[in-house]
Amino acid sequence: MILMKITMKQRSLVAGLFLIVFMIGADSFIISPLLPAIERSFHISVAQAALAVTSYAVCYAVGAPVIGPLGDHYSKRTLLLLGITVFSAGSLSCSLAPTNGWFEVSRAVAGLGAAMTLPNVWALIGATFTGAQLSMIMGITMAALSLSIAIGVPLGALLAQLANWRWAFGVSTGLTLLAGVVLTLVVPTETRPRTVLDYWGGHRQLAHNRPAIRALLVTLTWMVGFYAIYTFLGTFLSAQLQLNTSQAGLVFTVYGFCNFIASFASGPVMTRLGQRRVVQINGALSLLAIAGLVLGQTHLNVVIVSLGALAIVQGLGVTALNTLIVGIAPQQRSTVMACNSALLYLGLTLSSSIGGPVFVNWGFTGIGLVAVVMLGLAVVLVSQLKPA
């Protein structure tokens, strides 16, 4: 019903944002099955090929908080389209790269383009929609990330098998440019903030905004907890349940689709319960799902059910958290969302660096304990925020 109340131009805006978020999300996952082919193509080691993942992630994590304040000074439309252009150029350069060094630099460029694009997507949604519409549109757009998890890896593997790994980046470039054309036609021409700050003014105001800082800490602790589970899930499925690569890939795909459905349907839930309440409830339910994973880790059926439950509550909880944060500092939306994106990657980094030794010494049970502690801390932090 809410979608029926928005104009055709706004629907096209949502479609364009969905596509660009999907493409950036898929770009993060699609490279995984391509690494062996890239290794053979450039005659390099797996470790060297994996540097392409690192260069993308580092440039995104570092670039987002540096580029973010620009969105609070200039038109979000201009920055969004510039980010899409830079991301497309990086992807196209990846498809044409003659050497591994060229490829790594191209991935870094794509990472910078993504760092400019995604925070402004969330800020643009927050500036364009309010109330129930904001919850609905944020849920739909966030679902694009979940869908990229579900089909990013199998899509990359399929393209590499049917053609050449370069085609994956060529297709990515084409679809990204298509989204850019749509958004050029439908993104509002004026999205300038009412308050003009100096470049670092957004960061300084954010530093004194306690609710915003607490909300960003929720993102950090939540992501450390979630990625502790997600990062070592494949290893756990292989070592504990003896699943092969194809079977483990199917589990990830099912997880992604469950997460997609929950994100897509999160709008009415947020409207009814409120964003903060949805984050609280689904954070607590995540603890139960993780407990089910740990206690039933030797039984495949229990693991599948627990993972499905985790996918659903994470889809609802993370979407609500993103919606909550996008409205917590209206005058610094781009800065806040850029910092939020950077903390997501920091959470991924911390989870892998902490989780590695934990997994080696205490197995998946230790990983589950880390996840429970960090997600529990996130629930406590969000309970201290005022209801949205």
Side-chain angles (χ1 to χ4, degrees), residues 249-265:
L250 180 60
V251 172
F252 278 101
T253 300
V254 171
Y255 179 96
F257 276 115
C258 289
N259 197 261
F260 165 74
I261 293 170
S263 297
F264 199 88

Side-chain angles (χ1 to χ4, degrees), residues 236-237 240-241 292-306:
F236 160 72
L237 292 173
Q240 182 69 45
L241 298 175
L293 274 174
V294 171
L295 296 176
Q297 61 183 282
T298 59
H299 303 283
L300 180 59
N301 290 338
V302 176
V303 169
I304 295 297
V305 171
S306 298

Side-chain angles (χ1 to χ4, degrees), residues 29-190:
F29 296 102
I30 204 172
I31 194 172
S32 178
L34 302 180
L35 287 180
I38 294 171
E39 173 193 352
R40 292 191 297 270
S41 178
F42 293 134
H43 306 290
I44 56 177
S45 67
V46 175
Q48 289 175 304
L51 287 176
V53 179
T54 304
S55 63
Y56 179 93
V58 168
C59 284
Y60 188 110
V62 174
V66 174
I67 298 171
L70 296 175
D72 295 322
H73 286 268
Y74 306 104
S75 167
K76 291 180 178 61
R77 179 182 191 275
T78 301
L79 289 170
L80 178 65
L81 297 178
L82 179 60
I84 291 173
T85 301
V86 173
F87 179 78
S88 300
S91 294
L92 179 61
S93 184
C94 284
S95 70
L96 301 174
T99 66
N100 182 54
W102 183 307
F103 182 74
E104 289 179 8
V105 171
S106 300
R107 288 294 292 166
V109 171
L112 289 174
M116 186 180 295
T117 303
L118 273 188
N120 279 295
V121 167
W122 311 132
L124 180 64
I125 292 173
T128 306
F129 302 98
T130 59
Q133 283 189 354
L134 172 60
S135 297
M136 177 67 72
I137 302 308
M138 186 65 78
I140 291 172
T141 312
M142 286 286 291
L145 286 177
S146 304
L147 189 62
S148 69
I149 295 174
I151 67 177
V153 172
L155 179 62
L158 179 63
L159 287 172
Q161 183 176 356
L162 294 180
N164 185 288
W165 64 266
R166 298 178 186 274
W167 275 89
F169 295 100
V171 171
S172 174
T173 302
L175 291 177
T176 301
L177 290 175
L178 174 61
V181 171
V182 171
L183 292 173
T184 299
L185 299 174
V186 298
V187 173
T189 56
E190 182 55 52

